[in-house]
Amino acid sequence: MSLDELRNKINEIDEQMVALFVKRMKTAAEIAGAKAENNLPVLDIQRENAVLNHIQERAGEEFALYASSLYQTLFSVSRSYQSGILSKETPLSREILKNIAKPKMEFPKKAVVACQGSAGSYADHACGKLFGQPSRMYFGSFENVFHAVETGMCQYGVLPIENSSAGSVSEVYDLMVSHKFYIVRSLKLHINHALLGKNGTDLSKITEIISHEQAISQCSDFLKSMPHIKVTLFENTATAAKYIAENDRDDIAAISAPECARLYGLQILQDDIQNNQNNHTRFICIAKNMEIYAGSGKISLMLSIAHRPGSLYEMIGKIACRGMNLCKLESRPIAGRDFEFRFYFDLDASVFSQETIMLLKDMEAAAEKFSFLGCYSEVM
């Protein structure tokens, strides 16, 4: 048979498969009704395993794995469809619907904002980009920023979440578990690192460099070129620059923002020392209460799931079968549970869509623990 004839044959098979698929989904809807009447969960793992074993036997050795993969996808689609039929309003969905009924139209220009570090830090710069006219309060740790927002000391907080070359800021992800907050906006900030020292200092005389671990990681190539220099971790890049300015030593330098040279009366010993010129850090702006602004198109979630084969696959399948983009997946160990993980999802999606609300209810029902971290816009 020619290629065209074979393709026509496939088309005929597809027509039959689509008709059977629609028939199967309509039957799944009837099953959802029966489950509701008998107060049964959507997932019946024993039933699914029995069907998979039967399908693999029918498919034969050559196609058993392919058939299993196809039916696992069918199960995922069917469960999502049933969950949508059976889903009820939850406290979370009600809170989201309340927010989007009267969405906020304009992000505030003035607010009291918590930043980690000191004046001139990258968080300080991100704060200015987000708000325009903020009243800043500086704190010594990321945890204190969370605490300031959670207690109402500050209306908002600005925190780094990931860097394009050094990866995620694990400390911030780990702190998310123990604090109540919502992400209300995010910002991608271009990061340019410089080596700063006292005025009149010669680079050849430097014996120690101090900075935050993320900045040190982002400038690793530059530091490798000077293996004789001691590298010391500091809580913040701007705080490191301030320390240089207040210290009597002239053999110590800081990796910091170039603006800190002017701010603290220092000299730029070398500029653009980051590994990658396309170096960006993503900052999140957090608030105590949920705030959803018109046009928000990114969602962040935090969840834990059953520690069994396929549970993460099933959760991702709920997103995939609705055609939504999972743009970030981060995992962090759960304290006290060996090799079990908590997951952070970023989706390109908006709660202004009914389909997204259904997805969130579906994921919440399937997760052991589920936190909606916010629906927000990301700016450059």
Side-chain angles (χ1 to χ4, degrees), residues 134-199:
S135 296
R136 298 168 172 87
M137 291 184 68
Y138 298 103
F139 296 88
S141 68
F142 295 140
E143 182 160 25
N144 285 342
V145 172
F146 277 106
H147 183 72
V149 172
E150 197 171 32
T151 59
M153 184 186 302
C154 297
Q155 294 168 269
Y156 300 98
V158 175
L159 293 157
I161 192 78
E162 62 179 321
N163 177 264
S164 56
S165 56
S168 298
V169 184
S170 299
E171 184 182 352
V172 173
Y173 274 106
D174 290 340
L175 286 167
M176 288 180 176
V177 182
S178 52
H179 294 278
K180 178 68 175 175
F181 69 96
Y182 291 97
I183 302 172
V184 297
R185 184 147 292 200
S186 66
L187 169 76
K188 282 185 180 176
L189 182 69
H190 182 260
I191 303 295
N192 174 33
H193 291 302
L195 188 67
L196 309 184
K198 285 186 174 296
N199 287 319

Side-chain angles (χ1 to χ4, degrees), residues 358-376:
M358 290 175 63
L359 169 66
L360 295 178
K361 288 194 285 187
D362 190 6
M363 294 179 74
E364 184 179 13
E368 287 186 340
K369 292 185 178 179
F370 183 89
S371 295
F372 173 80
L373 300 182
C375 180
Y376 53 96

